[in-house]
Amino acid sequence: MFSSTPAPSDAQAQAEGVPVSVKIRERLKAARKRFNANDNIADFIRPGELEMLLDEVEAKMQGVLDSLVIDTVGDHNTQNTARRVAKMYVNEVFKGRYAEPPTITEFPNAEHLNELMIVGPLTVRSACSHHFCPVIGKIWIGIMPNEHTNVIGLSKYARLVDWIMGRPQIQEEAVVQLADLIMEKTQPDGLAVVMEASHFCMSWRGVREMDSKMINSVMRGVFLKDSALRREFLSLIPGK
């Protein structure tokens, strides 16, 4: 007795066993989209594939542990380390690569607010793209609105920071990405972003310099043109 289920096509058969990371990468290449460490690729991940990606990362992380000659069978402390690390990367530390952007409710500037507003410090939790070591710090955001500016809630700035920083980053590029996103969302007359962070790739390895931090800024619009406004913003940041 023959089954009524149709035989899989050659394409389906060929797709079986192909790692999900390869499928996602091929979609990105076909669309000529970049997939650098600090890019978001959520648009190219289909439903159910993130869990498959998690399984794939776990399997490859297990290979890393094996190559480090760590007994993940006999050592009770590392028996589930591969899964824990995979979940940390995909669902937490690098979530900003795989998750859709946060929903941001925007309101019109009904009261025509045009005074300096500062949000911060907002916590930065990221990782450097060179060594995947933690980058921990703070961000301050200055907004100079106009009557056409979209007003967003204070908590939404924290969500945007978390989404951008939740990827392997270098600090200089991270603040530019964040500034571009906030400019797009709010359309202000001016924007200022200052980030101060400790990099574990300096304190945990390499030169092992424990106290050094990196501070950089991005100034847009009137903050770039008006030195008095820029000084006012910087003077209002505690300790700066």
Side-chain angles (χ1 to χ4, degrees):
M1 186 174 182
F2 293 100
S3 170
S4 60
T5 304
S9 66
D10 291 342
Q12 288 174 322
Q14 188 178 7
E16 290 180 4
V18 175
V20 68
S21 63
V22 174
K23 297 177 183 178
I24 296 169
R25 189 179 295 111
E26 289 305 314
R27 289 180 207 133
L28 286 156
K29 289 180 177 179
R32 297 185 178 180
K33 293 293 184 179
R34 201 180 75 166
F35 49 99
N36 286 2
N38 61 355
D39 289 329
N40 178 272
I41 59 172
D43 288 344
F44 298 88
I45 300 175
R46 294 175 180 170
E49 287 187 336
L50 203 59
E51 187 64 29
M52 295 168 64
L53 191 63
L54 183 62
D55 293 339
E56 184 181 334
V57 173
E58 177 188 3
K60 291 183 177 179
M61 188 62 213
Q62 182 61 51
V64 171
L65 294 171
D66 293 341
S67 294
L68 290 172
V69 198
I70 294 175
D71 181 4
T72 58
V73 176
D75 180 0
H76 63 281
N77 288 317
T78 58
Q79 284 177 358
N80 294 308
T81 292
R83 185 68 178 181
R84 285 192 292 265
V85 172
K87 289 172 69 175
M88 177 187 72
Y89 281 142
V90 176
N91 295 339
E92 298 174 333
V93 181
F94 299 157
K95 184 179 178 180
R97 295 201 76 230
Y98 310 110
E100 297 285 347
T103 301
I104 303 296
T105 304
E106 302 169 5
F107 304 95
N109 186 2
E111 299 299 323
H112 294 179
L113 303 174
N114 63 352
E115 299 291 340
L116 172 61
M117 179 185 75
I118 300 176
V119 182
L122 301 171
T123 301
V124 170
R125 302 175 190 87
S126 192
C128 79
S129 48
H130 296 154
H131 296 94
F132 280 12
C133 289
V135 175
I136 306 295
K138 301 290 184 183
I139 274 182
W140 292 263
I141 300 168
I143 299 283
M144 180 58 73
N146 58 52
E147 61 181 23
H148 304 296
T149 296
N150 295 322
V151 178
I152 65 176
L154 294 180
S155 66
K156 303 305 186 289
Y157 289 99
R159 294 184 187 279
L160 293 175
V161 167
D162 189 59
W163 187 63
I164 291 291
M165 297 299 163
R167 313 167 192 181
Q169 289 278 15
I170 64 169
Q171 185 168 332
E172 305 94 307
E173 294 179 359
V175 291
V176 173
Q177 278 191 321
L178 181 62
D180 289 343
L181 182 61
I182 295 174
M183 286 292 292
E184 177 190 338
K185 294 289 183 183
T186 61
Q187 299 296 314
D189 276 347
L191 172 71
V193 179
V194 170
M195 176 174 168
E196 176 185 82
S198 298
H199 292 244
F200 281 44
C201 58
M202 279 192 65
S203 60
W204 193 27
R205 57 158 300 281
V207 295
R208 301 193 179 189
E209 177 56 59
M210 299 299 295
D211 298 322
S212 68
K213 294 183 179 182
M214 181 175 181
I215 303 173
N216 62 332
S217 66
V218 173
M219 302 288 168
R220 301 278 175 82
V222 291
F223 284 99
L224 193 60
K225 301 172 184 176
D226 188 337
S227 60
L229 178 64
R230 187 163 60 249
R231 284 195 300 270
E232 179 184 0
F233 165 71
L234 294 173
S235 70
L236 292 172
I237 296 178
K240 295 288 172 291

